[in-house]
Amino acid sequence: MFNHLSLTVLAVLFVAAAGVTWVAGLALARTTDVLSVRLNLGEALGGLLLLAVATNLPEIAITVSAALSGQMEVAVGNILGGIAIQTVVLAAMDRAGGKGPPLTFRAASLDLVLEGLLVVAVLAVAIMGAQLPAGGGLIGAGAAPLAITAVWIAGVWMMVRARRGLPWHAAGRAPEGQEQPRGHSREAFAGRHGGVALVGTVAVFAVAALATLAAGVVLERAGSVMADRLGLSGVVFGATVLAAATALPELSTGIASVRMKDYRLAVSDIFGGNAFLPVLLLPAALLSGQAVLPQAGPATVYLAALGAVLTCVYLAGLIFRPTRRPGGMGLDSWAVLALYAVGVAGLTAIPAAG
């Protein structure tokens, strides 16, 4: 259907789908907050899983659609490229933080360092998986996605343990940082909407989820055709334009959290979503029947490494806690912006990227 549409119509459809993703994604994030509080999920495993799935529904829809249509380059580019661009979203949150120290100074805590390390760990496994043979069998086709999923599950378990407290001074939370407990903005929002019946909240969540899934399919289908006509490789398109469109809800909700001085929640939502994205390689492999990572080429390894490098920059910021804020952002945020620009420019120079 999309192949017969003009480039102008495809662009309009893509922008409209991105708008739906923005609006529905915000509704998803907010109803997820309400459900987490109303169902007493909190920081428990159920709450983390619900949040991971809800905030990544656009990526889930794109991955499923791309896998079924054989556009695996788009799926892998969106998954691994999405990690890089969603890490860049932290720079926008830093800029929106107003006067005072940078975002990483205020959010600094050991449990966030653990979450960032989980992102690096799943990306490292993805890089290893890209070197495996593409032939059949468990080792050739399924080892890497299964290993990524296992690492993520183990990491989430450790995150749950860490949020209950760490055997460190001040429970691993740095001094002079965020005063109120993490998640207070989520509880405040849920309190303001506490009068809405649980059934109504679930209904809004369901409608927003369906709208997000439908918009994700349109983004993938229209975007893939646009990329072909513009001469962009599937990996480059998925890692930049498509990933930016699906990162819009995280940008909006993250800025809202920062403005409510819930800095740890803002960083945690980005790290948590980034750690979950590579898990989508498992359903992509199952739906396509292919060894996803070995077929993705060097651009996939490059994207995974870029995401890991950007995450490490913010991990350093959380540990060293820079106090300088030139131009309204911390030095770590400026470094991330520069590295991302250089990284994307380098991606276009990889011969096998398309």
Side-chain angles (χ1 to χ4, degrees), residues 217-339:
V217 173
V218 174
L219 282 172
E220 187 276 320
R221 296 294 171 88
S224 295
V225 177
M226 287 174 58
D228 289 340
R229 294 187 185 177
L230 294 174
L232 290 174
S233 74
V235 173
V236 173
F237 178 79
T240 54
V241 180
L242 195 56
T246 57
L248 290 175
E250 286 85 353
L251 173 63
S252 182
T253 56
I255 289 176
S257 296
V258 166
R259 288 177 174 169
M260 294 183 71
K261 299 183 178 181
D262 205 344
Y263 310 108
R264 293 188 187 118
L265 179 66
V267 177
S268 177
D269 283 351
I270 294 299
F271 281 174
N274 286 351
F276 176 76
L277 279 176
V279 176
L280 298 179
L281 293 170
L282 180 58
L286 294 175
L287 290 172
S288 65
Q290 304 174 28
V292 178
L293 283 172
Q295 294 188 12
T300 298
V301 179
Y302 183 94
L303 284 170
L306 177 61
V309 168
L310 299 185
T311 302
C312 286
V313 173
Y314 275 122
L315 285 176
L318 289 169
I319 294 171
F320 287 98
R321 305 182 70 203
T323 55
R324 295 179 58 192
R325 204 177 182 208
M329 292 192 305
L331 296 175
D332 45 8
S333 292
W334 284 113
V336 162
L337 288 178
L339 288 170

Side-chain angles (χ1 to χ4, degrees), residues 35-326:
L35 290 173
S36 295
V37 174
R38 295 281 294 276
L39 298 177
N40 295 317
L41 296 176
E43 300 290 352
L45 181 60
L48 292 177
L49 294 177
L50 176 64
L51 185 64
V53 173
T55 57
N56 286 286
L57 273 176
E59 288 84 359
I60 292 173
I62 288 170
T63 300
V64 171
S65 177
L68 293 176
S69 62
Q71 298 286 336
M72 293 313 304
E73 284 188 347
V74 174
V76 176
N78 182 242
I79 290 171
L80 298 180
I83 292 176
I85 203 165
Q86 285 188 182
T87 306
V88 173
V89 166
L90 287 172
M93 295 182 191
D94 193 0
R95 184 67 180 85
K99 297 180 180 179
L103 176 63
T104 48
F105 180 93
R106 306 189 217 198
S109 61
L110 288 181
D111 53 334
L112 287 180
V113 174
L114 283 174
E115 293 181 26
L117 287 174
L118 177 59
V119 177
V120 176
V122 295
L123 286 173
V125 177
I127 292 173
M128 294 167 63
Q131 312 308 313
L132 294 175
L138 179 62
I139 295 298
L146 285 172
I148 289 170
T149 304
V151 170
W152 178 75
I153 292 172
V156 169
W157 178 79
M158 287 190 292
M159 286 159 50
V160 172
R161 292 287 302 272
R163 292 183 184 183
R164 293 174 184 168
L166 290 168
W168 288 75
H169 178 65
R173 297 177 181 86
E176 301 179 50
Q178 180 175 320
E179 296 179 0
Q180 295 175 290
R182 174 171 56 182
H184 70 86
S185 61
R186 181 177 295 165
E187 294 180 1
F189 179 84
R192 291 197 300 269
H193 295 76
V196 180
L198 183 60
V199 174
T201 302
V202 173
V204 173
F205 179 90
V207 172
L210 290 174
T212 302
L213 291 171
V217 173
V218 174
L219 282 172
E220 187 276 320
R221 296 294 171 88
S224 295
V225 177
M226 287 174 58
D228 289 340
R229 294 187 185 177
L230 294 174
L232 290 174
S233 74
V235 173
V236 173
F237 178 79
T240 54
V241 180
L242 195 56
T246 57
L248 290 175
E250 286 85 353
L251 173 63
S252 182
T253 56
I255 289 176
S257 296
V258 166
R259 288 177 174 169
M260 294 183 71
K261 299 183 178 181
D262 205 344
Y263 310 108
R264 293 188 187 118
L265 179 66
V267 177
S268 177
D269 283 351
I270 294 299
F271 281 174
N274 286 351
F276 176 76
L277 279 176
V279 176
L280 298 179
L281 293 170
L282 180 58
L286 294 175
L287 290 172
S288 65
Q290 304 174 28
V292 178
L293 283 172
Q295 294 188 12
T300 298
V301 179
Y302 183 94
L303 284 170
L306 177 61
V309 168
L310 299 185
T311 302
C312 286
V313 173
Y314 275 122
L315 285 176
L318 289 169
I319 294 171
F320 287 98
R321 305 182 70 203
T323 55
R324 295 179 58 192
R325 204 177 182 208

